[in-house]
Amino acid sequence: MTRDRNPQAQQMGDESMVRNLSYQAEAIWPQEQHLFDRYALAGPLRILDLGCGTGEITRRLARRYPDAQVIGVDILEHTVQLARRVSADLGERVRYEQGDAFALSFGVEAFDLVVCRHLSQAVPDFPQVLAEITRVLRRGGWLHLLSEDYGMLHFPATGSFDPDRFWNEHAVAFLSSIGCDGRVGRHSPAMLQAAGYDDIAMDYVIVDTLRVPRDTFAGIMGAWRDGYTASLAEVTGRDQAAVKADFESMIAAIRTPPNYAVWHVPVVSGRKPPR
């Protein structure tokens, strides 16, 4: 029996995901954008933004690389349509396609840079997607992979609530139940090495209450609460109200100084060997 390649379609299609992608871009991109300096790319590039969602990062890539053609691909057609509407000012050098990350429509070595963010934890069998990325990436081209890891979120404990247990026993368990890896961030460097990449590096964007506005960080958590409470409750057998209360506790911690909360966001990069 074939695995469902988009087991989070319901969550990804929820309106909360639009909010989430916006908040995540606001929180992550200011630090992440400097990582692209390592790739030393310029000129008339071809860039693939795989799992582009609403195009939040596709548009930022287009502005960072003004001579590049940037193609965003997402599995959800309505998300692609939204990305097209809000990217109209960028003209013909930015386009969006509905597509399957497991079977990309592009030819061999079609791109100089592949950017894949917030996708690896959302699909089963991510090494198969990595194989497709490698196929369409030119020799000497770069992969920029942001892989979420739900063991890398840390909040102050309050009373009997242990946030570390929440993420490991709720988020990781939910993803495992649908064939996905909730700790894929820490597993990603080894995946790139197994796929034959050179110059592998692991960096971390630090989303915390010192670097990121508290309202932005809280917005990410609020969107996760709205999109995932029902699913987390179902897989753990808890009442939805109890799961929601746990989210509310973490959101309150973020919003209330001097509490400190942090999400270490893994970004792994690698270069496809020139020959």
Side-chain angles (χ1 to χ4, degrees):
M1 182 176 179
T2 303
R3 277 187 193 259
D4 180 359
R5 289 178 170 176
N6 189 20
Q8 297 186 62
Q10 177 182 347
Q11 291 83 11
M12 296 299 169
D14 189 80
E15 63 82 23
S16 63
M17 187 54 61
V18 175
R19 284 186 280 127
N20 198 7
L21 293 173
S22 179
Y23 282 125
Q24 286 182 337
E26 182 181 343
I28 294 171
W29 183 254
Q31 296 174 58
E32 182 186 6
Q33 62 180 325
H34 303 295
L35 300 178
F36 289 86
D37 295 343
R38 175 185 296 137
Y39 314 143
L41 296 171
L45 307 169
R46 283 176 54 84
I47 300 173
L48 172 63
D49 183 11
L50 183 59
C52 66
T54 57
E56 289 281 354
I57 299 304
T58 318
R59 295 188 290 277
R60 287 167 171 81
L61 289 168
R63 295 182 180 111
R64 180 180 175 85
Y65 297 104
D67 299 317
Q69 181 184 21
V70 187
I71 301 174
V73 172
D74 199 86
I75 197 169
L76 299 177
E77 179 60 35
H78 77 274
T79 303
V80 169
Q81 292 175 2
L82 174 59
R84 287 173 181 148
R85 289 198 300 271
V86 297
S87 304
D89 63 307
L90 293 169
E92 295 183 356
R93 70 186 187 88
V94 176
R95 77 171 198 265
Y96 297 94
E97 297 182 5
Q98 189 277 332
D100 182 355
F102 289 86
L104 295 170
S105 62
F106 310 107
V108 174
E109 299 185 22
F111 296 98
D112 302 284
L113 170 66
V114 175
V115 176
C116 183
R117 305 172 74 261
H118 305 293
L119 174 68
S120 54
Q121 86 288 343
V123 297
D125 306 315
F126 182 71
Q128 293 185 27
V129 174
L130 181 57
E132 271 294 273
I133 290 172
T134 306
R135 181 183 68 81
V136 303
L137 185 62
R138 72 164 173 81
R139 295 185 182 276
W142 286 88
L143 167 60
H144 177 98
L145 175 65
L146 187 156
S147 285
E148 295 182 13
D149 189 312
Y150 296 103
M152 296 184 183
L153 288 120
H154 302 287
F155 297 80
T158 55
S160 62
F161 174 55
D162 182 346
D164 295 336
R165 289 187 61 187
F166 175 88
W167 292 105
N168 285 287
E169 295 179 6
H170 290 68
V172 172
F174 164 67
L175 289 169
S176 179
S177 74
I178 58 174
C180 300
D181 181 3
R183 299 186 180 96
V184 69
R186 70 193 71 181
H187 300 148
S188 293
M191 289 184 192
L192 264 65
Q193 185 171 2
Y197 282 77
D198 290 338
D199 300 320
I200 298 169
M202 182 66 133
D203 294 279
Y204 291 90
V205 171
I206 302 175
V207 175
D208 70 356
T209 48
L210 297 177
R211 294 169 177 82
V212 173
R214 288 179 182 269
D215 285 346
T216 301
F217 194 177
I220 296 171
M221 296 298 299
W224 277 342
R225 173 201 62 204
D226 297 343
Y228 283 91
T229 289
S231 298
L232 298 186
E234 181 178 1
V235 78
T236 59
R238 296 182 69 204
D239 184 80
Q240 288 191 33
V243 175
K244 184 177 179 181
D246 288 348
F247 273 114
E248 295 292 353
S249 177
M250 291 182 284
I251 292 169
I254 293 171
R255 291 192 182 279
T256 307
N259 287 328
Y260 179 78
V262 60
W263 179 23
H264 294 95
V265 184
V267 181
V268 61
S269 59
R271 185 171 62 95
K272 184 174 176 178
R275 57 177 70 179

